[in-house]
Amino acid sequence: MADELKLLRSDDNDPLFDKTNMLKKEFPSDFRQIRYFTLLIVQAAPMEIKDTNLLEQQISEIIKNAVKHGNKCDINKKVTVWYSFSPTHAHIIVQDEGEGFQDLEKWNEFNKNRAKALYEQNFEELSQYASYHTQTSDQQDGGNALFAALEYWDGGFVYNGKKNAVAMLKKYQTKHHGLNVN
């Protein structure tokens, strides 16, 4: 395959878990308020990156997964979010009180098979990999948020060892007088 396949990984020692100088918010696992929780975080982003609806969508999906899959919508369990924004980055860590994403390797295997079928243009086989489901998935679950997350968070997307926290980084280029500056 031409491009290197991005996979989910788990590493307690990844530098993305460094919370130095990050803001922190804790939320109850109330599914109805996910959009509100997301807006509380995104409001801290500078204007240069705030207009990117994808940032808001990605943060919302990660919080939704923590509430729904991690904490099983148990209002007594908290979701903790650490975040840092600048014109050149968005750094987020989301942790729930759940058991962790125990199917990480199964998801990676699914993703490898999906990518292979896509690369080979084997659309009959690809139809088997349209969405990823676990034993606890419902009709709305499809694992598609993870496919998008691996593409969007270009500075890294990594779970902790327990797999109940995920750290991610998005890098932005700043524009200065019509020139892109890294």
Side-chain angles (χ1 to χ4, degrees), residues 99-118:
E99 298 295 314
F101 182 36
Q102 299 308 312
D103 287 339
L104 189 138
E105 289 307 321
K106 289 179 186 174
W107 188 91
N108 279 338
E109 190 61 32
F110 180 91
N111 192 25
K112 286 177 191 175
N113 292 334
R114 177 180 173 268
K116 182 176 183 259
L118 189 60

Side-chain angles (χ1 to χ4, degrees), residues 135-165:
Q135 292 177 343
T136 60
S137 295
D138 65 25
Q139 294 278 32
Q140 283 73 43
D141 296 329
N144 295 327
L146 285 175
F147 298 125
L150 283 175
E151 293 302 317
Y152 181 79
W153 299 101
D154 57 0
F157 186 87
V158 61
Y159 285 86
N160 66 352
K162 187 178 175 185
K163 300 178 190 90
N164 72 330

Side-chain angles (χ1 to χ4, degrees), residues 52-71:
T52 60
N53 289 333
L54 285 176
L55 174 64
E56 186 177 321
Q57 184 264 344
Q58 282 291 315
I59 293 170
S60 179
E61 282 295 327
I62 298 297
I63 293 173
K64 180 175 84 174
N65 282 345
V67 167
K68 183 177 179 181
H69 300 296
N71 290 343

Side-chain angles (χ1 to χ4, degrees), residues 10 14 21 24 31 37 48-49 54 75-76 78 82 85 92 102 109-110 124 127 135 157-158 162 170 176 180:
S10 170
D14 191 286
N21 298 323
K24 176 183 171 183
F31 197 83
F37 299 153
E48 294 91 334
I49 67 172
L54 285 176
I75 201 82
N76 297 309
K78 301 273 187 234
W82 292 267
F85 298 110
I92 313 289
Q102 299 308 312
E109 190 61 32
F110 180 91
E124 186 175 319
S127 69
Q135 292 177 343
F157 186 87
V158 61
K162 187 178 175 185
K170 173 71 177 167
H176 184 66
N180 286 336

